[in-house]
């Protein structure tokens, strides 16, 4: 898969989704990235990381400052993170990517693509906005229902869906990933996550 961005046709209107417009331009790392370095990289003996769908790259900078061999990738060319050539990362992170994709098949493809960069026995950690958070945001913001989620901004072409841990795992299994039994639970209140590994490795 070369793109995480999808385009879905209706009967009369072609809608252009722009999930890259949901990316936050942070001054520092996300709480999820801090949880990864604080609770996951040590126990899993992670030395190399790929942030898949890294946006502006604040989390990439955090992983590098933590002494990890880190690359970023984002399919939106404007962010300036081209597709890596290597496929031997100890850990691949997918932070708040699945919930901005409007098609379940795109979510599976995104996970398959992320997994393709992990070494045999490596891990993929997926973090998503929770169904409860999205339901509240939709109510507060007057978001319009769309497919299995909401337009967070119809004019910008941005979509959001809350994705539970069980749904992450169900999508991951379709992508050839299974929960990593030895992985610690990350302290991430208010969001959902799963730590995965390739089936059979």
């Amino acid at each position: 898969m070369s793109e995480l961005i999808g385009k879905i046709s209706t009967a009369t209107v072609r809608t252009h989704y722009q999930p890259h417009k949901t990316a936050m331009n942070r001054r520092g790392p996300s709480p999820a990235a801090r949880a990864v370095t604080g609770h996951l990289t040590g126990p899993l003996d992670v030395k190399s990381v790929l942030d898949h769908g890294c946006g502006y790259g604040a989390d990439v900078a955090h992983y590098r400052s933590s002494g990890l061999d880190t690359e970023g990738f984002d399919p939106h060319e404007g962010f300036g993170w081209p597709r890596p050539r290597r496929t031997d990362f100890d850990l691949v992170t997918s932070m708040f990517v699945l919930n901005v994709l409007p098609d379940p098949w795109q979510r599976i493809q995104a996970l398959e693509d992320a997994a393709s960069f992990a070494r045999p026995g490596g891990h993929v950690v997926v973090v998503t906005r929770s169904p409860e958070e999205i339901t509240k945001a939709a109510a507060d913001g007057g978001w319009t229902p769309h497919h299995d989620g909401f337009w967070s901004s119809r004019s910008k072409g941005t979509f959001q869906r809350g994705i539970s841990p069980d749904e992450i795992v169900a999508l991951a299994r379709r992508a050839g990933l299974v929960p990593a039994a030895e992985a610690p639970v990350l302290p991430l209140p208010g969001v959902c996550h799963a730590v995965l590994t390739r089936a059979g490795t």
Side-chain angles (χ1 to χ4, degrees), residues 68-92:
L68 298 165
D69 177 12
T70 307
E71 292 188 37
F73 166 60
D74 200 287
H76 180 63
E77 292 182 1
F79 289 134
W81 297 97
R83 190 175 184 85
R85 295 184 178 180
R86 58 184 290 196
T87 58
D88 62 347
F89 292 94
D90 296 329
L91 177 68
V92 178

Side-chain angles (χ1 to χ4, degrees), residues 5-6 9 15 20 31 41 44-45 57 92 98 100 106 111-112 114 124 135 140 146 152 157 166 171 196:
I5 298 173
S9 297
T15 301
H20 66 277
T41 54
L44 296 184
D45 195 27
V92 178
L98 298 188
V100 303
Q106 289 176 298
L111 286 172
E112 287 178 339
V124 177
T135 298
D140 292 345
H146 182 67
S152 55
D166 287 345
L171 291 166
L196 309 156

Side-chain angles (χ1 to χ4, degrees), residues 96 98-99 126-130 133 163-164 168 190-193:
F96 308 107
L98 298 188
N99 46 274
V126 177
V127 179
T128 61
R129 297 181 73 180
S130 71
E133 179 191 8
I163 298 181
S164 69
I168 296 172
V191 299
C192 300
H193 79 281

Side-chain angles (χ1 to χ4, degrees), residues 3 17 24 27 49 88:
E3 293 286 339
Y17 296 94
M24 296 181 68
R27 294 185 178 180
V49 177
D88 62 347

Side-chain angles (χ1 to χ4, degrees), residues 6-11 13-18 98-107 134 138 143-152 154 157-163 167:
K7 298 173 183 177
I8 298 178
S9 297
T10 64
V13 179
R14 188 167 182 86
T15 301
H16 293 274
Y17 296 94
Q18 301 191 84
L98 298 188
N99 46 274
V100 303
L101 301 176
D103 185 334
W105 178 240
Q106 289 176 298
R107 298 166 200 154
I134 293 298
W143 293 357
T144 305
H146 182 67
H147 291 305
D148 60 359
F150 300 89
W151 284 117
S152 55
R154 182 67 177 82
T158 56
F159 171 90
Q160 289 281 355
R161 170 181 168 77
I163 298 181
E167 186 176 354

Side-chain angles (χ1 to χ4, degrees), residues 18-74:
Q18 301 191 84
H20 66 277
K21 290 192 173 181
T22 65
M24 296 181 68
N25 194 357
R26 300 177 183 273
R27 294 185 178 180
S30 67
R34 291 196 299 268
V36 165
T37 54
H39 301 273
L40 197 65
T41 54
L44 296 184
D45 195 27
V46 170
K47 300 291 190 293
S48 60
V49 177
L50 172 68
D51 189 6
H52 188 269
C54 65
Y56 292 96
D59 288 350
V60 175
H62 171 69
Y63 297 134
R64 287 175 174 171
S65 71
S66 300
L68 298 165
D69 177 12
T70 307
E71 292 188 37
F73 166 60
D74 200 287

